Each structure stands twice: as C-alpha cells, then as structure tokens.
Amino acid sequence: MMEYLRPFAPRGLMLIACGSLVSMTCVAADDVDQELEPWQQAEKTEVWEPVPESVQAPAGGEPSDATVLFDGTNLDAWEAEDGGAAQWRVENRAMTVKPGSGGIRTREDFCDVQLHLEWRTPEDIAGMDGQDRGNSGVFLQERYEIQVLDSYENETYPNGQAASIYKQHIPLVNASRPPGEWQSYDVIYTAPRFDDAGELESPAYVTVLHNGVLVQNHVEIQGTTEWIGAPSYDEAHGCAPLYLQDHDAAVSFRNIWIREL
C-alpha cells in the first residue's frame, strides 16, 4: 500500500491508503498542512534555482546577449552565397540587394534562434505586381524560407505572400505596410533534429510576428523550401547560416540581430 503515498498520487488514492495501518500518517500530514500559515504553505511550491541570467533589453535596441548581424555600418558578418565578400550596397544604415549579385549568408551558423530584422520593399512599383513586387526571402538554416514581398494591395497566391512560410503556410493575417515603409519580422525558430542514421526525429517549428502581429503560430515546417514540388527532409543537417535572397528586387534590410536559444 505504500505506493499510494508517492507525491504524484491522486488525492483519492491517498484516502484509500488512509484506511489502512498508515492512516495515522496521512492524517498527521494533513494536520501539519492545516496548521501551517498560508505563507508557509505557499513556500512549498516556490522554486529558487536556477536563477535566470540578467539580460539588458533597451527600448528600440537589441538585447545584450544578442549577436548583431547588421548595425548599419558594414557587411562583416556576411558573405556572398558562393563565398567571398558580400556585394550588397550599404547606405543610410541599411543594406540593399544588388540585383544579380546573388544572395548573402551569415559567416556564423545557427540552430534554434530568436531573430529580429527589418525590411523595406521598393517604393516604385510601376508595372509590377504579384511575385515581381519587392520579392526576397529570409532562409533559416539556408533552407526554410519566410517570404519577403510587397503584399500591400498586391494579389498573389497566399502561401507565397509576405510572412508566409513559402509554399507551406499562409499567414494568419496580412499585416503588410505600403511599399517604401519599413516593416519588421520577429521570429522564434526551433531547428529540426536528426538521429545518428540521418533520419528525422522532429521537424522544425517557427513562430513569426509581422510588424508586431502574430502571423505564424508555432507552425511545423514540412521540409526544405521548394518552388516546384513538395517540401521534404531528404538531407540531414546541422546548424547553418541565415540566408537573405536576391530575387532581382532592391529590397533593403536593417537592424538585424539574433539570439541563440
């Protein structure tokens, strides 16, 4: 009968045990609890360790434990997608895609992260619509894309609009601002896990806020981003760079920082 006295046993089982020879122990324990002051009873569920590390979080700035990937001055944290120096333009504390130069990726690899970045699509939209208006993308681990697009009064397939997980998840709402205005993404990302044989143990998950509005709520990433065909996890991988896409549009980025989780 002693198994009924385990701390996780339901109260009903405790009462059954109290009908046996150990009933005096149960009653005594209840009496002790009844005799405690409320603050003493509350202390029983207080947990004092571990103490979270202090992080400074200034208004409008990055947390003190963040890695700053772009502060408006240089592309030192980035390289061209094929290696070598990144060729995008840096001016007015922003970096802008140089169409035709290719995407850029971080020199550092990342897995689980919190990411913040701000982006702006070109103001001149004459003769452009759909996927031709301010197209770029933020690729987590170089494989899983959060779409960047001018989706302000711009019709396209919803699983390819701004803040979609491209060709996988439609955003909950369209929080887009007009072209030429700065917008923000805040991303919480859990990388996929693979076993020693290279088989998928758990998929990636992502949460996205677009301009402070929740648009992807812990959605499952179904595999690598594909323009044609279905996504899949055909290739096991570890941590990898953050990648920004050159899709032949002069999209700008600024205030990029990342926290490893």
Side-chain angles (χ1 to χ4, degrees), residues 76-211:
D76 290 353
W78 302 82
E79 65 179 8
E81 62 180 75
D82 295 326
Q87 299 299 312
W88 290 13
R89 301 193 313 272
V90 177
E91 54 188 3
N92 299 322
R93 302 198 66 79
M95 63 177 179
T96 301
V97 176
K98 182 180 178 182
S101 67
I104 62 174
R105 64 186 181 196
T106 57
R107 296 181 182 275
E108 187 174 349
D109 294 340
F110 300 99
C111 284
D112 301 348
V113 296
Q114 175 188 353
L115 169 68
H116 172 87
L117 60 81
E118 297 167 23
W119 55 274
R120 179 182 64 191
T121 59
E123 192 170 2
D124 183 3
I125 58 174
M128 298 181 183
D129 57 20
Q131 294 288 306
D132 291 331
R133 272 175 51 176
N135 196 323
S136 183
V138 178
F139 285 74
L140 301 158
Q141 294 187 290
E142 293 189 289
R143 295 166 172 84
Y144 314 111
E145 181 184 12
I146 303 170
Q147 173 76 312
V148 170
L149 191 74
D150 174 8
S151 289
Y152 183 79
E153 298 180 354
N154 178 31
E155 185 177 0
T156 189
Y157 44 94
N159 66 346
Q161 73 177 61
S164 64
I165 309 305
Y166 187 75
K167 291 287 186 79
Q168 296 188 31
H169 294 285
I170 297 169
L172 297 171
V173 295
N174 183 351
S176 296
R177 294 171 180 162
E181 293 191 15
W182 283 103
Q183 312 195 48
S184 66
Y185 281 164
D186 288 282
V187 178
I188 308 297
Y189 174 68
T190 303
R193 268 55 173 178
F194 301 88
D195 63 21
D196 292 340
E199 297 297 321
L200 182 70
E201 286 188 332
S202 60
Y205 290 90
V206 68
T207 295
V208 181
L209 284 82
H210 180 195
N211 296 329

Side-chain angles (χ1 to χ4, degrees), residues 1-141:
M1 299 296 290
M2 289 301 289
E3 68 261 28
Y4 296 130
L5 297 181
R6 294 174 183 169
F8 54 79
R11 189 169 182 80
L13 295 182
M14 293 283 286
L15 293 176
I16 293 173
C18 290
S20 69
L21 294 177
V22 296
S23 60
M24 292 183 63
T25 302
C26 296
V27 172
D30 284 343
D31 287 344
V32 169
D33 281 345
Q34 293 293 332
E35 292 172 1
L36 293 176
E37 294 292 333
W39 64 269
Q40 292 173 311
Q41 295 184 41
E43 278 186 337
K44 290 188 171 184
T45 52
E46 293 174 0
V47 178
W48 286 74
E49 291 182 342
V51 177
E53 178 184 353
S54 293
V55 171
Q56 303 303 312
E62 67 276 356
S64 58
D65 64 346
T67 297
V68 177
L69 297 175
F70 181 69
D71 66 0
T73 61
N74 60 66
L75 295 175
D76 290 353
W78 302 82
E79 65 179 8
E81 62 180 75
D82 295 326
Q87 299 299 312
W88 290 13
R89 301 193 313 272
V90 177
E91 54 188 3
N92 299 322
R93 302 198 66 79
M95 63 177 179
T96 301
V97 176
K98 182 180 178 182
S101 67
I104 62 174
R105 64 186 181 196
T106 57
R107 296 181 182 275
E108 187 174 349
D109 294 340
F110 300 99
C111 284
D112 301 348
V113 296
Q114 175 188 353
L115 169 68
H116 172 87
L117 60 81
E118 297 167 23
W119 55 274
R120 179 182 64 191
T121 59
E123 192 170 2
D124 183 3
I125 58 174
M128 298 181 183
D129 57 20
Q131 294 288 306
D132 291 331
R133 272 175 51 176
N135 196 323
S136 183
V138 178
F139 285 74
L140 301 158
Q141 294 187 290

Side-chain angles (χ1 to χ4, degrees), residues 245-261:
Q245 183 184 38
D246 170 10
H247 202 284
D248 295 322
V251 177
S252 298
F253 296 87
R254 71 179 185 184
N255 297 337
I256 307 175
W257 54 260
I258 199 165
R259 296 179 64 243
E260 296 185 75
L261 303 179

